[in-house]
Amino acid sequence: MRSLIFVILGFASTLSAVDNPISEVVNTENNWNISIMKILVSVMIFIIATLVLKYLTRAFEKIAERWTRFRLGIKRIIPIVRIIGWTISVYIIIVGVLRPPFQTIVAVTASAGIAIGFASQDILKNIFGGVMILFDRPFQVGDKIQVGSFYGEVLTIGLRSVRIVTPDDSVVSIPNSEIVNQSVSNSNSGETNCQVVAEFYLDTDIDFQRIKKIAYQSAVVSRYAYLKKPVSIVFKQEIHMGKPKIKLRIKAYVLDIRYEFAFMSDITQIFQEALQKELALTATDM
């Protein structure tokens, strides 16, 4: 990275030392010159900014994965760093390199605003949506969210879309304009733990106290259980497949949102095995 920057800066200084009258391509009434040198320097700054931000993003992601306790906090810094980085880069290009007169900035901004407004309304909606998400913060990088039919962990929050990874390891890009116009469910709201619910249908003649004890043990013995929050056991009578059944819900917290489905699988397996043993003992006693 350092060698690339030094090569680019050396190339830029070499070009600046060459006195070539052909390089002056535009001269406005305000004595504002846009030279080939300025264009090259602007492109170089853009390339350097892209590489630096890419490197910083990867560095933050590696640090986040290494420090599990601070993973969500570190990942939330990434969108802010990218916005600040691009803002500084654009400012340097406009104010430090191109240096257009104020009247030119106003005229170009107005013309570009009108053109962009007509040509790319959807893009602008997504950009404004991304800004609203960053300021309103209904969710952040690392949260588990439900948007429409998609559920997964937030990977990135960009100006155009939000990317989430689903339980089947698919990356889904959702336009920001769609997110701000519908309900979003957040499973963990910035915490590393979240609630997991496992559901079972049982016969109506069960021993509620015994089943409740088995269900509780099924949750707390799992290696993924977060025991600093309570485990809830809920019974409800429903009609399932045309027959009256008792719906059992085991509500417990997983220590890390990435183990959500592993925890649910653990609870299901432990509960079913314990229930089968209980039924077998009951049949033997009878």
Side-chain angles (χ1 to χ4, degrees):
M1 176 66 70
R2 290 182 178 177
S3 60
L4 176 61
I5 295 174
F6 287 143
V7 169
I8 292 174
L9 292 177
F11 179 68
S13 61
T14 303
L15 285 177
S16 61
V18 178
D19 185 13
N20 187 357
I22 303 178
S23 65
E24 300 295 331
V25 294
V26 177
N27 191 343
T28 63
E29 294 179 356
N30 295 317
N31 198 27
W32 175 43
N33 297 323
I34 302 179
S35 64
I36 293 178
M37 180 60 201
K38 289 183 178 180
I39 295 174
L40 287 176
V41 172
S42 300
V43 172
M44 290 175 190
I45 293 174
F46 178 82
I47 294 173
I48 292 173
T50 302
L51 294 175
V52 170
L53 291 175
K54 186 176 181 180
Y55 173 79
L56 286 176
T57 299
R58 289 182 178 178
F60 276 116
E61 289 176 350
K62 289 181 179 179
I63 294 172
E65 295 300 329
R66 184 174 300 176
W67 299 89
T68 307
R69 289 180 56 189
F70 306 103
R71 185 181 72 241
L72 298 184
I74 294 173
K75 286 195 171 184
R76 288 170 194 153
I77 300 174
I78 296 175
I80 300 174
V81 170
R82 294 177 65 183
I83 290 177
I84 293 175
W86 282 119
T87 302
I88 294 174
S89 301
V90 172
Y91 178 82
I92 292 174
I93 291 173
I94 295 177
V95 178
V97 180
L98 299 180
R99 297 180 181 179
F102 180 75
Q103 295 83 352
T104 304
I105 295 177
V106 174
V108 171
T109 303
S111 302
I114 295 173
I116 293 174
F118 283 107
S120 55
Q121 294 183 10
D122 292 337
I123 296 177
L124 289 177
K125 288 180 182 178
N126 290 327
I127 292 176
F128 285 125
V131 173
M132 291 299 298
I133 290 171
L134 290 174
F135 280 98
D136 191 40
R137 301 174 70 183
F139 55 84
Q140 299 182 52
V141 174
D143 287 351
K144 283 287 191 76
I145 64 171
Q146 175 86 39
V147 182
S149 60
F150 298 109
Y151 175 76
E153 180 182 345
V154 179
L155 292 179
T156 59
I157 301 175
L159 290 178
R160 191 192 68 83
S161 65
V162 170
R163 291 185 179 181
I164 65 173
V165 56
T166 61
D168 58 358
D169 206 27
S170 298
V171 177
V172 179
S173 296
I174 308 174
N176 292 330
S177 59
E178 293 185 11
I179 294 177
V180 296
N181 289 323
Q182 61 180 310
S183 301
V184 178
S185 173
N186 193 330
S187 297
N188 58 310
S189 298
E191 298 188 31
T192 54
N193 63 84
C194 72
Q195 189 179 84
V196 174
V197 180
E199 298 181 342
F200 306 90
Y201 285 94
L202 308 172
D203 294 332
T204 55
D205 58 348
I206 61 172
D207 183 343
F208 284 90
Q209 293 301 322
R210 184 61 182 163
I211 295 298
K212 187 174 183 179
K213 184 177 180 180
I214 294 174
Y216 181 84
Q217 290 295 326
S218 301
V220 297
V221 299
S222 173
R223 59 177 176 167
Y224 303 114
Y226 183 68
L227 301 179
K228 292 184 179 181
K229 289 190 176 181
V231 177
S232 302
I233 310 298
V234 180
F235 294 100
K236 184 180 180 181
Q237 186 167 354
E238 290 186 0
I239 301 299
H240 180 65
M241 300 181 67
K243 297 180 180 181
K245 292 285 184 179
I246 298 298
K247 183 179 181 180
L248 168 66
R249 304 187 76 198
I250 305 175
K251 302 166 70 175
Y253 287 83
V254 63
L255 59 88
D256 193 298
I257 56 175
R258 292 186 174 177
Y259 302 137
E260 175 185 2
F261 295 99
F263 184 42
M264 187 182 298
S265 178
D266 242 14
I267 294 176
T268 302
Q269 180 180 348
I270 296 170
F271 177 78
Q272 291 288 4
E273 290 176 352
L275 183 61
Q276 290 175 4
K277 290 181 181 179
E278 178 70 17
L279 294 176
L281 290 173
T282 304
T284 303
D285 294 338
M286 294 178 59

